[in-house]
Amino acid sequence: DMALRIMRLTEVKAVTGLSKTTIYRFEKEGRFPSRVSLGERSVGWFEDDVETFLLSLKQTQNASMNAHR
């Protein structure tokens, strides 16, 4: 079981390869997990939410690759 951990934007960008703009747009479209407020001017994301996003991307990728075989 993974311990709860907050990732900051810099780390989320590094892990996902997405830009800040894309992350915020995907979040608004419901395609990316919502950020959590960490105080007045800082936000973060739960690591397991980000991981779930990446896993679902991978599954979508695998499914579309299999569909083209």
Side-chain angles (χ1 to χ4, degrees), residues 4 25 28 40 42 44 48-49 54 58:
L4 275 183
R25 191 179 77 237
K28 209 166 77 183
E40 213 170 307
S42 62
D48 58 346
D49 287 349
L54 291 173
K58 190 176 165 67

Side-chain angles (χ1 to χ4, degrees), residues 6 34-46:
I6 296 275
S34 298
R35 65 200 112 135
V36 287
S37 174
L38 306 172
E40 213 170 307
R41 307 255 300 271
S42 62
V43 296
W45 285 262
F46 283 110

Side-chain angles (χ1 to χ4, degrees), residues 4-67:
L4 275 183
R5 191 171 158 264
I6 296 275
M7 293 169 79
R8 302 300 303 273
L9 181 63
T10 311
E11 198 181 353
V12 174
K13 280 164 51 179
V15 167
T16 60
L18 300 172
S19 69
K20 176 182 172 177
T21 318
T22 305
I23 290 167
Y24 280 27
R25 191 179 77 237
F26 278 11
E27 188 188 38
K28 209 166 77 183
E29 294 170 356
R31 292 163 63 185
F32 196 78
S34 298
R35 65 200 112 135
V36 287
S37 174
L38 306 172
E40 213 170 307
R41 307 255 300 271
S42 62
V43 296
W45 285 262
F46 283 110
E47 188 176 48
D48 58 346
D49 287 349
V50 175
E51 205 162 85
T52 302
F53 166 79
L54 291 173
L55 287 171
S56 71
L57 264 191
K58 190 176 165 67
Q59 282 161 359
T60 309
Q61 176 68 23
N62 291 344
S64 66
M65 279 173 66
N66 292 338

